[in-house]
mmCIF file of all heavy atoms in Angstrom:
data_model
loop_
_atom_site.group_PDB
_atom_site.id
_atom_site.type_symbol
_atom_site.label_atom_id
_atom_site.label_comp_id
_atom_site.label_asym_id
_atom_site.label_seq_id
_atom_site.Cartn_x
_atom_site.Cartn_y
_atom_site.Cartn_z
ATOM 1 N N MET V 1 107.779 97.742 92.508
ATOM 2 C CA MET V 1 108.193 97.065 91.310
ATOM 3 C C MET V 1 108.070 97.960 90.081
ATOM 4 O O MET V 1 108.855 97.900 89.175
ATOM 5 C CB MET V 1 107.382 95.774 91.141
ATOM 6 C CG MET V 1 107.570 94.743 92.234
ATOM 7 S SD MET V 1 109.319 94.296 92.513
ATOM 8 C CE MET V 1 109.734 93.611 90.915
ATOM 9 N N HIS V 2 107.043 98.789 90.041
ATOM 10 C CA HIS V 2 106.894 99.744 88.968
ATOM 11 C C HIS V 2 108.111 100.652 88.902
ATOM 12 O O HIS V 2 108.697 100.917 87.839
ATOM 13 C CB HIS V 2 105.650 100.598 89.150
ATOM 14 C CG HIS V 2 104.399 99.837 88.909
ATOM 15 N ND1 HIS V 2 103.139 100.370 89.240
ATOM 16 C CD2 HIS V 2 104.130 98.601 88.429
ATOM 17 C CE1 HIS V 2 102.184 99.483 88.955
ATOM 18 N NE2 HIS V 2 102.796 98.389 88.439
ATOM 19 N N GLU V 3 108.490 101.176 90.080
ATOM 20 C CA GLU V 3 109.639 102.080 90.121
ATOM 21 C C GLU V 3 110.906 101.349 89.646
ATOM 22 O O GLU V 3 111.717 101.920 88.911
ATOM 23 C CB GLU V 3 109.836 102.543 91.577
ATOM 24 C CG GLU V 3 111.013 103.484 91.766
ATOM 25 C CD GLU V 3 111.240 103.848 93.238
ATOM 26 O OE1 GLU V 3 110.366 103.510 94.048
ATOM 27 O OE2 GLU V 3 112.294 104.399 93.527
ATOM 28 N N LEU V 4 111.078 100.119 90.072
ATOM 29 C CA LEU V 4 112.237 99.340 89.721
ATOM 30 C C LEU V 4 112.302 99.115 88.196
ATOM 31 O O LEU V 4 113.367 99.344 87.558
ATOM 32 C CB LEU V 4 112.215 98.010 90.429
ATOM 33 C CG LEU V 4 113.300 96.952 89.966
ATOM 34 C CD1 LEU V 4 114.701 97.471 90.273
ATOM 35 C CD2 LEU V 4 113.047 95.606 90.612
ATOM 36 N N VAL V 5 111.182 98.669 87.610
ATOM 37 C CA VAL V 5 111.191 98.371 86.176
ATOM 38 C C VAL V 5 111.443 99.627 85.342
ATOM 39 O O VAL V 5 112.212 99.584 84.357
ATOM 40 C CB VAL V 5 109.886 97.681 85.750
ATOM 41 C CG1 VAL V 5 109.731 97.613 84.249
ATOM 42 C CG2 VAL V 5 109.825 96.265 86.346
ATOM 43 N N LEU V 6 110.805 100.729 85.701
ATOM 44 C CA LEU V 6 111.051 101.972 84.988
ATOM 45 C C LEU V 6 112.491 102.410 85.104
ATOM 46 O O LEU V 6 113.068 102.897 84.093
ATOM 47 C CB LEU V 6 110.137 103.071 85.506
ATOM 48 C CG LEU V 6 108.625 102.974 85.141
ATOM 49 C CD1 LEU V 6 107.822 104.059 85.825
ATOM 50 C CD2 LEU V 6 108.472 103.100 83.635
ATOM 51 N N SER V 7 113.072 102.268 86.254
ATOM 52 C CA SER V 7 114.469 102.651 86.438
ATOM 53 C C SER V 7 115.394 101.793 85.615
ATOM 54 O O SER V 7 116.283 102.287 84.908
ATOM 55 C CB SER V 7 114.839 102.510 87.945
ATOM 56 O OG SER V 7 116.177 102.802 88.135
ATOM 57 N N LEU V 8 115.182 100.473 85.621
ATOM 58 C CA LEU V 8 116.012 99.553 84.833
ATOM 59 C C LEU V 8 115.868 99.775 83.341
ATOM 60 O O LEU V 8 116.803 99.745 82.571
ATOM 61 C CB LEU V 8 115.697 98.118 85.180
ATOM 62 C CG LEU V 8 116.088 97.619 86.590
ATOM 63 C CD1 LEU V 8 115.500 96.250 86.917
ATOM 64 C CD2 LEU V 8 117.597 97.650 86.778
ATOM 65 N N TRP V 9 114.603 100.077 82.942
ATOM 66 C CA TRP V 9 114.331 100.335 81.522
ATOM 67 C C TRP V 9 115.089 101.601 81.059
ATOM 68 O O TRP V 9 115.709 101.598 79.965
ATOM 69 C CB TRP V 9 112.839 100.507 81.329
ATOM 70 C CG TRP V 9 112.457 100.996 79.987
ATOM 71 C CD1 TRP V 9 112.672 100.430 78.760
ATOM 72 C CD2 TRP V 9 111.726 102.229 79.698
ATOM 73 N NE1 TRP V 9 112.152 101.197 77.778
ATOM 74 C CE2 TRP V 9 111.556 102.306 78.309
ATOM 75 C CE3 TRP V 9 111.176 103.205 80.505
ATOM 76 C CZ2 TRP V 9 110.894 103.364 77.679
ATOM 77 C CZ3 TRP V 9 110.499 104.256 79.905
ATOM 78 C CH2 TRP V 9 110.393 104.324 78.516
ATOM 79 N N ARG V 10 115.071 102.618 81.882
ATOM 80 C CA ARG V 10 115.801 103.834 81.501
ATOM 81 C C ARG V 10 117.294 103.633 81.446
ATOM 82 O O ARG V 10 117.978 104.184 80.579
ATOM 83 C CB ARG V 10 115.467 104.953 82.519
ATOM 84 C CG ARG V 10 114.018 105.430 82.507
ATOM 85 C CD ARG V 10 113.738 106.458 83.539
ATOM 86 N NE ARG V 10 114.455 107.706 83.236
ATOM 87 C CZ ARG V 10 114.537 108.736 84.063
ATOM 88 N NH1 ARG V 10 113.938 108.688 85.275
ATOM 89 N NH2 ARG V 10 115.177 109.822 83.739
ATOM 90 N N GLU V 11 117.829 102.807 82.374
ATOM 91 C CA GLU V 11 119.261 102.557 82.405
ATOM 92 C C GLU V 11 119.747 101.701 81.244
ATOM 93 O O GLU V 11 120.826 101.918 80.699
ATOM 94 C CB GLU V 11 119.639 101.880 83.723
ATOM 95 C CG GLU V 11 119.533 102.768 84.945
ATOM 96 C CD GLU V 11 119.736 102.037 86.232
ATOM 97 O OE1 GLU V 11 120.152 100.859 86.156
ATOM 98 O OE2 GLU V 11 119.502 102.602 87.320
ATOM 99 N N THR V 12 118.964 100.699 80.858
ATOM 100 C CA THR V 12 119.410 99.707 79.886
ATOM 101 C C THR V 12 118.944 99.954 78.448
ATOM 102 O O THR V 12 119.569 99.522 77.512
ATOM 103 C CB THR V 12 118.894 98.277 80.305
ATOM 104 O OG1 THR V 12 117.481 98.285 80.247
ATOM 105 C CG2 THR V 12 119.386 97.919 81.703
ATOM 106 N N GLY V 13 117.850 100.693 78.272
ATOM 107 C CA GLY V 13 117.306 100.913 76.949
ATOM 108 C C GLY V 13 116.738 99.666 76.325
ATOM 109 O O GLY V 13 116.541 99.605 75.114
ATOM 110 N N THR V 14 116.372 98.693 77.175
ATOM 111 C CA THR V 14 115.801 97.408 76.692
ATOM 112 C C THR V 14 114.410 97.685 76.104
ATOM 113 O O THR V 14 113.636 98.489 76.640
ATOM 114 C CB THR V 14 115.709 96.413 77.830
ATOM 115 O OG1 THR V 14 117.013 96.236 78.391
ATOM 116 C CG2 THR V 14 115.182 95.079 77.322
ATOM 117 N N THR V 15 114.083 97.006 75.029
ATOM 118 C CA THR V 15 112.737 97.039 74.485
ATOM 119 C C THR V 15 111.863 96.097 75.325
ATOM 120 O O THR V 15 112.203 94.896 75.459
ATOM 121 C CB THR V 15 112.740 96.595 73.008
ATOM 122 O OG1 THR V 15 113.601 97.445 72.290
ATOM 123 C CG2 THR V 15 111.323 96.701 72.417
ATOM 124 N N ILE V 16 110.746 96.583 75.872
ATOM 125 C CA ILE V 16 109.952 95.802 76.783
ATOM 126 C C ILE V 16 108.531 95.621 76.213
ATOM 127 O O ILE V 16 107.947 96.559 75.714
ATOM 128 C CB ILE V 16 109.826 96.445 78.176
ATOM 129 C CG1 ILE V 16 111.259 96.559 78.829
ATOM 130 C CG2 ILE V 16 108.892 95.697 79.078
ATOM 131 C CD1 ILE V 16 111.265 97.220 80.179
ATOM 132 N N PHE V 17 108.060 94.381 76.308
ATOM 133 C CA PHE V 17 106.630 94.050 76.049
ATOM 134 C C PHE V 17 106.092 93.484 77.342
ATOM 135 O O PHE V 17 106.630 92.518 77.890
ATOM 136 C CB PHE V 17 106.494 93.003 74.957
ATOM 137 C CG PHE V 17 106.900 93.476 73.598
ATOM 138 C CD1 PHE V 17 108.234 93.421 73.212
ATOM 139 C CD2 PHE V 17 105.947 93.928 72.681
ATOM 140 C CE1 PHE V 17 108.642 93.820 71.931
ATOM 141 C CE2 PHE V 17 106.344 94.336 71.407
ATOM 142 C CZ PHE V 17 107.648 94.283 71.021
ATOM 143 N N MET V 18 104.993 94.052 77.847
ATOM 144 C CA MET V 18 104.414 93.615 79.088
ATOM 145 C C MET V 18 102.901 93.410 78.964
ATOM 146 O O MET V 18 102.162 94.305 78.594
ATOM 147 C CB MET V 18 104.658 94.606 80.209
ATOM 148 C CG MET V 18 104.209 94.084 81.585
ATOM 149 S SD MET V 18 104.454 95.230 82.943
ATOM 150 C CE MET V 18 102.918 96.146 82.859
ATOM 151 N N VAL V 19 102.488 92.165 79.269
ATOM 152 C CA VAL V 19 101.041 91.842 79.328
ATOM 153 C C VAL V 19 100.534 92.182 80.699
ATOM 154 O O VAL V 19 101.166 91.863 81.717
ATOM 155 C CB VAL V 19 100.822 90.343 79.020
ATOM 156 C CG1 VAL V 19 99.388 89.955 79.360
ATOM 157 C CG2 VAL V 19 101.138 90.048 77.570
ATOM 158 N N THR V 20 99.411 92.867 80.795
ATOM 159 C CA THR V 20 98.801 93.172 82.093
ATOM 160 C C THR V 20 97.289 93.184 81.935
ATOM 161 O O THR V 20 96.768 93.534 80.893
ATOM 162 C CB THR V 20 99.322 94.531 82.615
ATOM 163 O OG1 THR V 20 98.631 94.828 83.837
ATOM 164 C CG2 THR V 20 99.051 95.674 81.609
ATOM 165 N N HIS V 21 96.579 92.864 83.028
ATOM 166 C CA HIS V 21 95.164 93.001 83.097
ATOM 167 C C HIS V 21 94.731 94.339 83.658
ATOM 168 O O HIS V 21 93.586 94.699 83.647
ATOM 169 C CB HIS V 21 94.526 91.842 83.911
ATOM 170 C CG HIS V 21 94.240 90.647 83.123
ATOM 171 N ND1 HIS V 21 95.041 89.530 83.140
ATOM 172 C CD2 HIS V 21 93.245 90.327 82.241
ATOM 173 C CE1 HIS V 21 94.521 88.592 82.336
ATOM 174 N NE2 HIS V 21 93.452 89.065 81.763
ATOM 175 N N ASP V 22 95.732 95.044 84.204
ATOM 176 C CA ASP V 22 95.478 96.297 84.903
ATOM 177 C C ASP V 22 95.661 97.466 83.895
ATOM 178 O O ASP V 22 96.793 97.834 83.544
ATOM 179 C CB ASP V 22 96.456 96.452 86.071
ATOM 180 C CG ASP V 22 96.118 97.643 86.955
ATOM 181 O OD1 ASP V 22 95.557 98.629 86.466
ATOM 182 O OD2 ASP V 22 96.448 97.577 88.174
ATOM 183 N N LEU V 23 94.544 98.056 83.469
ATOM 184 C CA LEU V 23 94.602 99.138 82.485
ATOM 185 C C LEU V 23 95.446 100.328 83.019
ATOM 186 O O LEU V 23 96.220 100.957 82.291
ATOM 187 C CB LEU V 23 93.206 99.577 82.111
ATOM 188 C CG LEU V 23 93.055 100.479 80.894
ATOM 189 C CD1 LEU V 23 93.522 99.801 79.646
ATOM 190 C CD2 LEU V 23 91.609 100.906 80.754
ATOM 191 N N LYS V 24 95.224 100.628 84.296
ATOM 192 C CA LYS V 24 95.967 101.762 84.881
ATOM 193 C C LYS V 24 97.478 101.495 84.868
ATOM 194 O O LYS V 24 98.276 102.389 84.534
ATOM 195 C CB LYS V 24 95.504 101.992 86.344
ATOM 196 C CG LYS V 24 96.218 103.137 87.038
ATOM 197 C CD LYS V 24 95.678 103.278 88.452
ATOM 198 C CE LYS V 24 96.406 104.410 89.172
ATOM 199 N NZ LYS V 24 95.904 104.533 90.631
ATOM 200 N N GLU V 25 97.864 100.286 85.182
ATOM 201 C CA GLU V 25 99.268 99.891 85.153
ATOM 202 C C GLU V 25 99.822 100.009 83.752
ATOM 203 O O GLU V 25 100.937 100.464 83.507
ATOM 204 C CB GLU V 25 99.414 98.458 85.658
ATOM 205 C CG GLU V 25 100.868 97.924 85.703
ATOM 206 C CD GLU V 25 100.921 96.537 86.262
ATOM 207 O OE1 GLU V 25 100.492 95.551 85.601
ATOM 208 O OE2 GLU V 25 101.437 96.410 87.407
#
């Protein structure tokens, strides 16, 4: 899923806000 989201973000240029409890993520 990380690979997918990064790929889609690069393709679309969408501004993303993501809440996570995982500091490494």
Side-chain angles (χ1 to χ4, degrees):
M1 297 306 298
H2 290 170
E3 180 185 350
L4 171 65
V5 168
L6 286 174
S7 176
L8 292 172
W9 170 60
R10 294 178 67 189
E11 290 174 8
T12 62
T14 305
T15 303
I16 298 179
F17 293 84
M18 188 182 87
V19 169
T20 176
H21 273 101
D22 188 332
L23 193 62
K24 181 180 177 181
E25 181 176 71

